[in-house]
Amino acid sequence: MSVFAAALDRIFTHASMATPALWISATTSEERPIRVIRRAPDRITDFGAGRFVSDTTVVDVRVADLPTPRSGDVIVIGADSHVIQGEPLRDRERLIWTLDLRPA
């Protein structure tokens, strides 16, 4: 294990950095507990002459916790359910998935 991977493991197990969540497969209904780092950046979308600011929910998940997320899978964080939209993206080191979510 690289030093970088060990540091990420510590970040994802730290109670102040990551949150427990539940992943539910859209195809098999398999469930798996995971830990996520939740982000909510604003996105600006141009449409004609207008610009729209929209709220988003993005989470980072360790590949070791969730090897194959797919669009349509459900992530439950606390009492909130979210659906993965778009394609999951991995970081350069192939250790972290970035998942774009929408409310379920």
Side-chain angles (χ1 to χ4, degrees):
M1 177 184 296
S2 72
V3 174
F4 186 69
L8 282 175
D9 286 345
R10 292 199 53 152
I11 290 170
F12 273 89
T13 57
H14 195 279
S16 297
M17 296 293 293
T19 305
L22 180 69
W23 167 80
I24 304 170
S25 171
T27 55
T28 65
S29 297
E30 175 188 356
E31 295 182 3
R32 178 180 301 176
I34 58 174
R35 294 192 59 83
V36 300
I37 295 176
R38 189 175 185 172
R39 298 180 283 139
D42 286 342
R43 290 207 178 129
I44 297 175
T45 305
D46 294 326
F47 184 75
R51 294 179 70 180
F52 300 94
V53 177
S54 58
D55 296 335
T56 63
T57 301
V58 177
V59 295
D60 292 330
V61 182
R62 289 184 296 184
V63 171
D65 289 346
L66 190 56
T68 56
R70 291 180 202 84
S71 182
D73 290 351
V74 177
I75 304 284
V76 180
I77 305 170
D80 299 327
S81 295
H82 304 277
V83 176
I84 298 173
Q85 63 181 1
E87 288 299 315
L89 302 172
R90 286 187 291 178
D91 68 334
R92 184 180 74 182
E93 304 297 324
R94 303 294 194 229
L95 298 173
I96 303 293
W97 286 109
T98 299
L99 308 174
D100 188 14
L101 305 178
R102 64 175 168 78

